[in-house]
Amino acid sequence: GLGDVYKRQERRRGRSLEVESERLERQLKGKQGRSQHHVNRVEQLKADIGQTAEPRMEMGLSDGPDFGKMVLSTSGLFVSRGGQALLESTSLNLTPRERIGIVGPNGCGKTTLLETLTGARPPRAGVIEVGEHTVMGYMPQSGLRTEPGQTVYDVLGPSDYVWVGNQKFHKQRLLERFLFDRTLQRAQVSTLSGGQRRRLALARLVSKNANVLVMDEPTNDLDIISLQVLEDALIDFEGSALIVSHDRYFLERVCTAIVAFEGKRLVRYEG
């Protein structure tokens, strides 16, 4: 259950401190100089572990419905935007429990690819097959697309309850796990900070109860503790994921394979 997930995440947080400290030590021995990113990460992990009473986002992902034989597959895919060809006759296959990171230079078409795979944008040509039991949850780069005047509470849908796996949550309870107290739940989304909007987008993604997560720059605006929680949740996730991110360390931590835009093709790298 989700309780076991949270216990595993707590144990992993301690191990992450060891990993980050070792990484810094190797860099210094190799005369690569200190990476400020990793220095900050070690210090914040130390603070996090030493102050367990500090409020921290809780993110337990359900596994979603059981997969069938096929999750997501494309062939002969052509993708374009504004008349510009981004991908030509390429393929991408996602299998059960794979987490694929998607990388490439700015403007190469990463977001357009995700929009195409989720059905938000038609391909110029090619075939996209979605498994019969595949349920996709999409988190766009913007994080949230809301109506004017919409409150935090309203974002999770019209019902007062959502399902996460086989557990039924009142929306108030789920939002509290993402650090939205009762006052913030009544606030309009337009008044939230960037980090709050990102946490709310993650809460909405969890409420979709999907077995395939499609995430476009999910780490933007997240504080380092929430980032650690997101990493742990994805590592524990028994579903599949497609993740676009500029954060190579994040992808290294959570992904089982990397797909890179090279020319107008997708090239896969394992591990």
Side-chain angles (χ1 to χ4, degrees):
L2 291 181
D4 293 332
V5 169
Y6 293 134
K7 289 177 183 177
R8 289 199 302 272
Q9 290 175 359
E10 195 65 35
R11 288 195 298 269
R12 190 180 292 111
R13 191 167 292 112
R15 291 198 299 272
S16 293
L17 176 57
E18 296 175 8
V19 169
E20 290 290 352
S21 298
E22 289 172 3
R23 183 184 293 265
L24 274 178
E25 188 176 342
R26 287 198 305 271
Q27 286 181 338
L28 290 172
K29 286 181 179 178
K31 299 181 180 180
Q32 297 174 22
R34 284 178 180 258
S35 164
Q36 191 61 44
H37 169 79
H38 296 301
V39 171
N40 292 342
R41 194 178 185 89
V42 168
E43 293 307 314
Q44 296 239 12
L45 282 168
K46 284 179 180 177
D48 182 31
I49 291 169
Q51 298 175 5
T52 54
E54 187 73 18
R56 179 167 57 234
M57 183 179 82
E58 297 180 25
M59 184 176 177
L61 289 165
S62 77
D63 301 337
D66 290 337
F67 288 111
K69 294 180 180 179
M70 191 265 292
V71 178
L72 178 69
S73 178
T74 76
S75 59
L77 189 64
F78 287 74
V79 174
S80 61
R81 182 183 59 227
Q84 177 187 2
L86 301 172
L87 290 171
E88 294 181 344
S89 190
T90 196
S91 63
L92 176 66
N93 295 300
L94 182 67
T95 61
R97 289 170 289 282
E98 268 195 325
R99 297 184 299 272
I100 296 179
I102 301 174
V103 300
N106 290 338
C108 69
K110 300 184 294 295
T111 293
T112 304
L113 173 62
L114 294 190
E115 291 173 346
T116 303
L117 295 175
T118 56
R121 174 191 295 268
R124 198 179 77 187
V127 175
I128 300 175
E129 294 182 86
V130 178
E132 181 181 358
H133 300 289
T134 296
V135 178
M136 285 194 274
Y138 179 39
M139 181 177 170
Q141 187 170 348
S142 59
L144 289 168
R145 295 168 182 167
T146 59
E147 300 297 325
Q150 194 169 25
T151 67
V152 168
Y153 187 84
D154 294 335
V155 163
L156 298 193
S159 172
D160 287 331
Y161 294 90
V162 296
W163 287 89
V164 180
N166 59 2
Q167 295 188 38
K168 187 178 182 180
F169 283 84
H170 196 284
K171 289 195 303 187
Q172 288 180 340
R173 183 181 166 203
L174 182 64
L175 286 167
E176 285 169 353
R177 288 175 177 262
F178 288 82
L179 306 185
F180 293 99
D181 60 24
R182 300 296 171 89
T183 300
L184 271 175
Q185 290 178 24
R186 295 190 295 270
Q188 293 189 13
V189 177
S190 59
T191 67
L192 299 182
S193 68
Q196 289 172 329
R197 289 176 66 89
R198 187 62 51 173
R199 292 202 312 272
L200 182 56
L202 289 170
R204 182 161 68 177
L205 184 68
V206 168
S207 74
K208 297 298 183 184
N209 220 10
N211 57 13
V212 175
L213 304 180
V214 182
M215 311 175 81
D216 196 348
E217 298 291 358
T219 66
N220 283 359
D221 299 317
L222 281 183
D223 62 89
I224 196 163
I225 296 173
S226 296
L227 174 59
Q228 177 73 39
V229 172
L230 173 60
E231 289 177 356
D232 289 345
L234 288 170
I235 290 168
D236 283 325
F237 184 47
E238 291 293 326
S240 300
L242 293 169
I243 306 170
V244 167
S245 180
H246 67 280
D247 187 338
R248 294 298 182 97
Y249 179 76
F250 171 76
L251 294 180
E252 177 184 314
R253 280 264 295 151
V254 305
C255 291
T256 57
I258 296 293
V259 167
F261 276 70
E262 296 186 7
K264 291 183 173 62
R265 296 291 181 92
L266 296 175
V267 180
R268 181 180 175 116
Y269 299 92
E270 300 295 337

